[in-house]
């Protein structure tokens, strides 16, 4: 009975808190954060469009029979080729379409990595906070050691164990990013535990991890969202980096990292700049979008950073 | 303070022991049979079985662990399976390590020299146009991956403008010796191409002044230093790419640290005493704001090493970063193991250096 | 004599920490090896369980010495980058001592159990 009422009260609390939240109004008044949000929304639209309307076969397989290879963007001169907005690559595939599809891949695998590590992090953080003492210490300090490693090197080490391939890279990066979420959740969970009302619910006989989930999750939604946003950009870069180094996407897949790899090996010396320029531009702009939004969110959340 | 340093140096032993043990565990948890890797997929089973026996892979795993530790302690990392087939891992590493060290050191120096002043400037002029531009610049710097900025600067400055070379460490017309001669004794070179060429060129130049052209040698200074100039030209783009990438993080840290210090009371007091603002900030603020940033430099060096892996790949510089990527790709386990150990050693040594610097800067530590 | 007491106490505390974790490790490692041996073959069981033990052991050692070596840097970094963190060098070292004790226990457990495997 006691938990029932407190849950409904809490649920009403979320909506009201959001409406009157200084966090949201602060965020919406931040011009850079709005720019970031627009970039992200734009990329999502492009990605979804590419997923729905582009033929994956045509942009993965060689088109040497049909088109010229390494053709510069059509608008650069030869009018006959104006259908290739971003030019074609070494296998005569349309770079524009590939870049659009790359947006879908980056967001999809970014969501997989960040989503999985958020869920894992929430579980570990809550477990650590709930059981405290030895469990807390061992779990969190192990996470800390993981945090001390640079993400790319750690991911490379894990790839050495799991082997190459996009799905394995996703697993490796999930492990790399989990500690960051675990730490945030644990901090928020400990704060909630300190509050008296949890003591009250526990005293009423609800000593149950479910209680924690119900009370902790609403309270750490904001920090988790900030963390997810900031790490989304990093995760996309790391995903692309691993593909760039040859451990992620397999040949033909229109991933930005792999396109950059091809651009470096095929276009650097000959000056075919469009091979690497456009995929990298989309990657950098997307990451910048997440960083702008995440930064704005952090400033809105953490009054210390404001005057 | 000597005891402090000695204690830290002693801690290197368990660090490396820990890394070695983790690497051992990882390699034994990884799928795949080393004997298969060495011999290739199509080798007859009989051969594989024999090689397994020779490599000691049939012994109980704790025996293998003990042997591994004993070998590692003697700096014997075994032989490369694939990349440098048959040659000792230690030799390969010793060959490639200076390349990465050179890149990382110059990159780190660039990052510090650019990042700290920018952070200070941004903090001092908080909320001004300069601050906004610097902050957005730093954010962009973090967002732009090295494997895009690298190819772009290469395309602009090497391919299109032709000012700088596209890849490698030195022009193909130069031949690097592996030692230099001083008063009849042969001294080994460092393997860091900018330092080596400088030493060799200076040697030739001084010799020419003493025994040849005399002071007229100054007229053809650039000719004497041609190989050094070539080396610097090759280093310029990779170092800038790596350095600007790490600079972004440092300048952000410096800004927030400086802001914190500026807000503290004693700065206000100093200001009230009538000193000029600029002097106040530089004298009191900078030293205090630097302390936390310096601690970060050590940890940020890890990110820089990660960046070095990418930079080496883009610019075709054969350091241990490129070696690590190649070794993982070819499942060349002994080489992976050796590279990881060397990365850990570098990271720890830099942090050690940072710690020592820190203890000098922060008087509270010295007691 | 009294001068050495704190040192002895220090040592005893560490020993108890390692021993408790090690005992847990021996039991768990032994059980895991037997279970995997039943499901798979004895060699795999011994190799994989031991490797996991070394992983925990090595990780603990690395974490312990890393905390001792760079503790102050990490404390500074966490204070600056995270809003709520209570990372301390001391806690970290204790946790890592436990972890390496546990890992060593698993390794020992496997060594003890392996000759008994079918």
């Amino acid at each position: 009975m006691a938990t029932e009422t407190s849950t409904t009260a809490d649920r009403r609390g979320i909506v009201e808190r959001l409406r009157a939240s200084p966090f949201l109004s602060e965020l919406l008044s931040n011009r850079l954060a709005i720019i970031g949000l627009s970039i992200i929304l734009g990329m999502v639209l492009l990605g979804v469009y590419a997923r729905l309307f582009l033929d994956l076969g045509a942009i993965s397989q060689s088109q040497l029979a049909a088109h010229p290879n390494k053709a510069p963007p059509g608008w650069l001169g030869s009018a006959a080729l104006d259908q290739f907005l971003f030019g074609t690559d070494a296998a005569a595939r349309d770079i524009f379409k590939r870049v659009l599809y790359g947006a879908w891949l980056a967001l999809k695998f970014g969501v997989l990595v960040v989503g999985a590590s958020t869920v894992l992090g929430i579980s570990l953080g809550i477990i650590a906070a709930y059981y405290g003492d030895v469990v807390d210490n061992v779990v969190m300090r192990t996470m800390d050691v993981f945090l001390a490693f640079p993400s790319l090197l750690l991911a490379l080490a894990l790839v050495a164990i799991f082997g190459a391939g996009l799905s394995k890279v996703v697993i490796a990066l999930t492990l790399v990013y989990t500690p960051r979420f675990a730490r945030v959740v644990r901090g928020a969970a400990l704060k909630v535990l300190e509050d008296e009302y949890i003591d009250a619910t526990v005293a009423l006989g609800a000593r149950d991890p479910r209680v924690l989930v119900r009370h902790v999750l609403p309270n750490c939604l904001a920090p988790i969202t900030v963390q997810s946003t900031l790490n989304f950009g990093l995760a996309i870069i790391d995903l692309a980096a691993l593909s760039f180094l040859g451990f992620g996407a397999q040949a033909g897949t229109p991933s930005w990292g792999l396109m950059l790899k091809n651009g470096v090996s095929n276009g650097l010396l000959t000056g075919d700049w469009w091979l690497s320029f456009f995929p990298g531009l989309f990657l950098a702009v997307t990451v910048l979008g997440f960083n702008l939004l995440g930064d704005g969110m952090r400033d809105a959340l953490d009054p210390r950073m404001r005057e | 303070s000597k005891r402090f340093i000695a204690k830290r140096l002693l801690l290197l032993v368990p660090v490396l022991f820990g890394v070695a043990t983790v690497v051992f565990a990882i390699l034994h948890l990884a799928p795949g049979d080393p004997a298969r890797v060495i011999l290739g997929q199509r080798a007859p089973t009989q051969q594989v079985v024999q090689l397994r026996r020779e490599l000691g892979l049939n012994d109980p795993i704790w025996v293998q662990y003990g042997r591994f530790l004993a070998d590692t302690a003697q700096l014997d990392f075994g032989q490369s399976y694939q990349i440098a087939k048959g040659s000792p891992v230690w030799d390969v590493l010793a060959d490639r390590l200076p390349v990465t060290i050179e890149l990382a050191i110059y990159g780190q120096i660039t990052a510090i020299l650019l990042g700290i002043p920018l952070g200070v400037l941004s903090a001092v002029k908080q909320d001004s146009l300069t601050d906004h531009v610097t902050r957005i610049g730093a954010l962009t710097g973090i967002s732009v991956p090295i494997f895009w900025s690298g190819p772009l600067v290469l395309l602009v400055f090497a391919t299109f403008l032709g000012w700088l070379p596209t890849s490698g460490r030195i022009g193909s017309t130069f031949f690097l010796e592996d030692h230099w001669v001083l008063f009849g004794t042969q001294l080994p070179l460092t393997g860091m191409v900018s330092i080596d060429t400088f030493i060799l060129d200076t040697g030739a130049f001084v010799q020419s002044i003493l025994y040849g052209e005399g002071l007229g040698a100054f007229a053809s200074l650039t000719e004497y230093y041609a190989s050094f100039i070539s080396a610097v030209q090759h280093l310029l783009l990779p170092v800038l790419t790596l350095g600007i990438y790490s600079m972004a993080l440092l300048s952000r840290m410096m800004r927030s640290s400086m802001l914190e210090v500026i807000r503290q009371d004693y700065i206000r007091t100093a200001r009230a005493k009538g000193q000029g603002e600029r002097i106040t900030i530089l004298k009191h603020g900078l030293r205090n704001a630097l302390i936390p940033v310096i601690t970060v430099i050590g940890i940020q060096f890890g990110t820089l090493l990660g960046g070095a892996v990418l930079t080496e790949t883009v610019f075709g510089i054969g350091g241990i970063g490129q070696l690590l990527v190649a070794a993982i790709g070819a499942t060349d386990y002994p080489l992976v193991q050796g590279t990881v150990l060397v990365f850990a050693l570098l990271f720890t040594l830099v942090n050690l250096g940072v710690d020592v610097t820190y203890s000098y800067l922060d008087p509270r530590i010295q007691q | 004599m009294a001068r050495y007491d704190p040192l002895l106490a220090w040592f005893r505390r560490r020993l108890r920490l390692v021993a408790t974790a090690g005992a847990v490790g021996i039991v768990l490692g032994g059980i895991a090896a037997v279970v995997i041996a039943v499901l798979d073959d004895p060699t795999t069981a011994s190799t994989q369980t031991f490797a996991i033990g070394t992983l925990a052991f090595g990780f603990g050692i690395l974490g312990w010495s890393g905390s001792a070596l760079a503790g102050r840097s990490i404390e500074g970094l966490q204070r600056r980058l995270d809003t709520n963190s209570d990372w301390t060098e001391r806690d970290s070292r204790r946790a890592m001592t436990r972890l390496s004790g546990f890992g060593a226990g698993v390794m020992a457990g496997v060594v003890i159990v392996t000759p008994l495997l079918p």
Side-chain angles (χ1 to χ4, degrees), chain B residues 233-247:
Chain B
Q233 283 174 337
H234 279 81
L235 269 171
L236 207 57
L237 289 181
V239 163
L240 279 182
T241 309
L242 185 59
I244 288 177
Y245 165 77
S246 324
M247 171 208 87

Side-chain angles (χ1 to χ4, degrees), chain B residues 23 56 63 91 96 116 151 211-212 253 285 306 329 335 338:
Chain B
V23 170
V63 175
D91 291 356
R96 306 277 200 111
I116 287 181
Y211 308 113
M253 295 291 289
L335 207 50

Side-chain angles (χ1 to χ4, degrees), chain C residues 43-66:
Chain C
T43 321
T44 320
S46 165
T47 311
Q48 297 292 310
T49 321
F50 189 86
I52 289 173
T54 40
L55 189 63
F57 177 63
F59 204 75
I61 299 270
L62 180 60
W64 180 87
S65 45

Side-chain angles (χ1 to χ4, degrees), chain B residues 241-260:
Chain B
T241 309
L242 185 59
I244 288 177
Y245 165 77
S246 324
M247 171 208 87
L249 187 81
L250 274 186
S251 81
R252 274 162 68 100
M253 295 291 289
M254 191 66 213
R255 178 179 182 274
S256 83
S257 171
M258 193 77 190
L259 278 180
E260 230 167 74

